[in-house]
Amino acid sequence: MMLSTYEIYSRAALRVISAFLFMQHGAQKLFHYPPGGHNQGPLELFSLVGVAGVLEFFGGLCLLVGLCTRSVAFLLSGQMAVAYFMFYPAKAFFPVVNGGELTIMFCFVFFYFIFAGSGAWSIDEVIKNRLNRSKSD
């Protein structure tokens, strides 16, 4: 049996797990939950942190369920690239030293989904299957 048979499912698992982890960053910014991290008092929604929180939580939610995966992944990959270059290189050159490894990993995982799509277990897949079924009828 070829392992590539399971690629669509491993891609879905990567999408779901990375989206769930990413959403937690947005939840900390927007809802101060889970506790710790970005608990900076009242949040201004149209501030840099507020917009990042909205993108992280709701963009992560879209990825979690596999809705508009490629478009959302493009937006989030760009957000992570901007976040990295805004906050980390000034601290140190190497990501392991400046603390930006997670930001880079999210950037490139989302970049992968721009080209790979959502995989199994996604709303995108359901829509695609329904469109294909209606075309064949």
Side-chain angles (χ1 to χ4, degrees):
M1 182 181 294
M2 299 294 290
L3 286 176
S4 60
T5 306
Y6 300 103
E7 186 275 335
I8 191 170
Y9 303 107
S10 64
R11 185 174 1 132
L14 177 64
R15 175 181 49 81
V16 168
I17 297 301
S18 33
F20 177 71
L21 294 172
F22 195 63
M23 284 176 66
Q24 292 176 49
H25 292 276
Q28 282 186 321
K29 290 176 179 88
L30 295 176
F31 313 119
H32 307 294
Y33 188 84
H38 299 283
N39 196 352
Q40 302 164 344
L43 176 72
E44 292 183 37
L45 200 54
F46 294 103
S47 67
L48 192 59
V49 173
V51 171
V54 168
L55 287 172
E56 291 165 4
F57 185 78
F58 293 103
L61 182 61
C62 285
L63 285 183
L64 184 78
V65 298
L67 178 63
C68 301
T69 300
R70 292 175 195 265
S71 302
V72 171
F74 177 79
L75 186 64
L76 297 181
S77 179
Q79 178 202 4
M80 289 294 94
V82 168
Y84 180 80
F85 287 108
M86 278 182 75
F87 298 109
Y88 296 102
K91 295 178 185 175
F93 177 76
F94 293 104
V96 72
V97 177
N98 69 27
E101 313 97 322
L102 186 58
T103 305
I104 292 171
M105 286 299 296
F106 276 130
C107 180
F108 280 93
V109 166
F110 298 149
F111 189 73
Y112 166 75
F113 285 116
I114 296 168
F115 299 97
S118 59
W121 312 313
S122 68
I123 294 174
D124 290 343
E125 193 70 17
V126 170
I127 292 169
K128 185 175 89 174
N129 290 339
R130 285 191 180 169
L131 288 174
N132 288 339
R133 201 174 317 126
S134 68
K135 285 180 184 177
S136 64
D137 289 341

